[in-house]
Amino acid sequence: MREIDTDVCVVGGGPAGLVLALLMLRSGLGVVVLERARAHQREFRDEILQPGALALLDALGVLSGARARGASALDRFRFLDGDRVLLEADYRLLPPPYDHLLTLPRPHLLDELLAHCRRSPHFRYLPGRRAGGLLRREGRIAGVVADGPSGRCAVRARVVVGADGRHSRIRRLAGIGAGRTGPSGQDVLWCSLRTAAAGMPPPREVRVVRTPGGPVLVHGAWPDRIQLGCMLPHRRGRELTASGLERVTERLVRAVPEYGGLIRDQLRTAADLAVVDVFSARAERWVGDGLVLIGDAAHTHSLIGAQGVSLAVQDAVVLHSVLAGALASDDTGAARLTAFERRRGPDVAAVMRRQSLHSRVMHAEGAYATRVRPRLVWALRHTPLYRRALQRIAYGDPSIQLPDDGARGWA
C-alpha cells in the first residue's frame, strides 16, 4: 500500500477544502487533498456567492480568475406573492465592488482554487479517491486510508480535515452524529433553461414566488440560463415527477409566465428535472483529537439565503488560523481545535435561525403575511435597520478576514 506523509490531509475538494488547502500552503505547510470525483464536472445548479464570500475570495487572489471563466451578477432577492413584495434584499444598496450576488458555476471556482494550490511544491491532489478508513495512533486520528483507481493509499497527517459534504464519510468514520435540525426538510425539483434561443436575457435577481402548490425559486445563471426550483414537502419530489410533468410545468409557468414558452419547450421528460433533498443539520461535535469537520460536513443548511458557499469559505479562513497555531505548537488535540467551533458555532446558529424564520415567512398565510408585512418591509427599507440586516445577510461575521500573510503567496 502506497504511503504519503503530510501536515494536513483534507478530505473533500469543494470550496471549503480547497480554500483551506490554499491558505495552509501559503503558511508553508504540506497539504494532501483527497477528492472522490475524478474531475470537476459541471453541476446542475450554479453556486450563489454572497458579498462576504466575494470579498474573501478576492483577498485570496482567486475571484477574478474564477469570474473570468464565466459568472453572472444578481442585484437583489425578492419574495413575491403576485405583484406584492413580501420580502426584499437589494444588494445595490451595499458599497461596491461587492454590491451584488454572483452566480458562478462550481467548476469555475474549484478549477481556479486548484490552479493556485498547484503552484506550491507541497501540494498533492488525489482525485478519484474514496476514504475507506481513518488511521489512528495512540488514541488520536493520524491519517486516512483511501481507495482509488491505482489501488489503496495511506495518507499520514498531523491533522485530518473532513470537508466532504453533508453526507460526510469522515464524520461517519469518526462516529460523529449529525441529525436534522429542521422539522422534516424538503425536496426541490430543479430545472435549467436556456434563454438565448428566445432572445430573452436571464433575470438579474433571485426570486421566490408563491404558487398554489408552494414556493418556486427563480434566478438567472451564466451564461444564458434561468434556474427554476419547485419546493415540495420531503419525499414528494419523485412522486410528483413520476405522476407526469404537467403539474410541474404549469406550476413553473404560473411562477414566471414570461418564460412559459421556454418551460413548455425545454421541459420534456423527467430527466430534465433533478430532485434535491434539502435539509438543515449540525454535527454533534466538529472536532476530535487530530480531526476537524468544516463546511457541510459540520453544518448543513437549506437553500434559503444562499449561505452555503459563504459559510464554507469563512470556515476555511477561521480554521486556517486555528490550525496554523495548533501545528506550530505541535498540539492538534480536541481541546486545542475546539477553538474553531467556539468561534464559528454562534455564526452558524444565527444563520440557521434566520433560515428558519424566512422559511416560516415563505409558507405563512393570512392577511398579516400577505398584506401587512409587505407594508412594514417597504417602510423599513428606508431605515438604518434595513441596511444593517442586509449587511448581516450579505457578509455574515465581518470580523472574519484573511491574515496579511495569507494572501501574499509564496516567495
Side-chain angles (χ1 to χ4, degrees):
M1 182 169 62
R2 179 185 178 193
E3 296 188 359
I4 303 171
D5 291 308
T6 190
D7 293 309
V8 183
C9 178
V10 178
V11 181
L18 288 182
V19 169
L20 177 66
L22 183 54
L23 287 167
M24 301 309 298
L25 291 165
R26 290 183 174 180
S27 292
L29 294 158
V31 180
V32 172
V33 173
L34 300 172
E35 168 54 45
R36 184 175 60 180
R38 296 192 183 189
H40 291 157
Q41 301 297 323
R42 177 174 293 277
E43 295 287 316
F44 191 81
R45 292 175 290 119
D46 287 3
E47 304 281 16
I48 296 181
L49 277 65
Q50 291 281 352
L54 299 181
L56 290 173
L57 293 171
D58 205 8
L60 194 57
V62 300
L63 179 61
S64 61
R67 193 165 189 157
R69 296 172 186 264
S72 298
L74 303 173
D75 295 329
R76 61 184 177 177
F77 163 84
R78 293 193 298 161
F79 176 41
L80 304 174
D81 183 4
D83 295 331
R84 293 192 295 273
V85 179
L86 305 185
L87 288 174
E88 182 178 35
D90 191 341
Y91 286 80
R92 294 168 294 184
L93 299 176
L94 296 172
Y98 312 117
D99 53 352
H100 57 275
L101 298 162
L102 190 70
T103 175
L104 178 70
R106 184 181 178 91
H108 292 189
L109 175 58
L110 300 185
D111 287 345
E112 187 68 16
L113 285 165
L114 191 55
H116 281 253
C117 287
R118 282 177 165 149
R119 296 176 187 174
S120 169
H122 307 298
F123 177 67
R124 300 190 73 167
Y125 182 70
L126 302 178
R129 296 282 181 174
R130 182 176 183 270
L134 294 172
L135 298 173
R136 298 178 184 271
R137 184 175 64 246
E138 298 178 354
R140 67 182 302 279
I141 292 172
V144 179
V145 176
D147 298 305
S150 58
R152 176 165 287 193
C153 71
V155 181
R156 303 186 186 279
R158 299 165 66 192
V159 67
V160 172
V161 178
D164 51 340
R166 58 183 182 159
H167 301 298
S168 171
R169 184 166 178 79
I170 293 298
R171 186 181 65 220
R172 294 198 303 273
L173 290 171
I176 300 173
R180 298 187 180 208
T181 60
S184 60
Q186 60 183 192
D187 287 350
V188 179
L189 290 180
W190 281 102
C191 67
S192 181
L193 307 176
R194 294 284 182 185
T195 62
M200 304 175 67
R204 287 183 57 92
E205 65 178 7
V206 180
R207 303 178 209 161
V208 175
V209 184
R210 277 182 183 271
T211 70
V216 171
L217 177 64
V218 184
H219 70 82
W222 183 88
D224 61 353
R225 289 180 296 140
I226 178 172
Q227 303 268 20
L228 302 173
C230 287
M231 301 181 188
L232 302 166
H234 187 44
R235 302 187 187 281
R236 288 291 306 281
R238 298 195 185 280
E239 294 177 11
L240 187 57
T241 55
S243 67
L245 290 179
E246 184 176 351
R247 289 170 61 193
V248 179
T249 299
E250 292 310 310
R251 183 169 163 189
L252 293 175
V253 171
R254 282 196 298 268
V256 280
E258 65 270 35
Y259 296 106
L262 294 178
I263 293 168
R264 293 190 174 98
D265 288 344
Q266 298 182 34
L267 192 58
R268 298 179 180 275
T269 70
D272 297 322
L273 292 167
V275 181
V276 181
D277 178 18
V278 176
F279 60 90
S280 297
R282 178 167 173 165
E284 60 189 22
R285 55 186 172 89
W286 297 358
V287 303
D289 292 332
L291 173 72
V292 188
L293 303 175
I294 65 171
D296 280 351
H299 47 84
T300 305
H301 303 267
S302 80
L303 299 176
I304 298 172
Q307 294 292 326
V309 180
S310 295
L311 289 170
V313 172
Q314 290 174 336
D315 275 5
V317 172
V318 172
L319 182 57
H320 164 250
S321 62
V322 173
L323 279 187
L327 291 167
S329 62
D330 199 25
D331 177 9
T332 57
R336 178 68 180 262
L337 299 180
T338 197
F340 168 66
E341 186 171 359
R342 285 200 305 269
R343 173 76 189 279
R344 291 296 287 146
D347 292 338
V348 166
V351 169
M352 286 184 166
R353 286 194 299 270
R354 284 200 301 270
Q355 288 185 327
S356 178
L357 173 62
H358 291 163
S359 178
R360 291 197 297 271
V361 170
M362 285 168 51
H363 293 90
E365 301 289 347
Y368 177 81
T370 60
R371 298 185 182 279
V372 178
R373 183 180 284 121
R375 294 170 185 163
L376 292 175
V377 170
W378 179 254
L380 285 173
R381 193 178 189 278
H382 303 283
T383 69
L385 180 62
Y386 177 87
R387 289 181 182 253
R388 286 198 295 271
L390 176 60
Q391 287 177 333
R392 194 66 181 177
I393 293 171
Y395 285 95
D397 185 345
S399 69
I400 298 175
Q401 302 289 332
L402 261 64
D404 291 340
D405 61 346
R408 283 203 297 260
W410 302 279

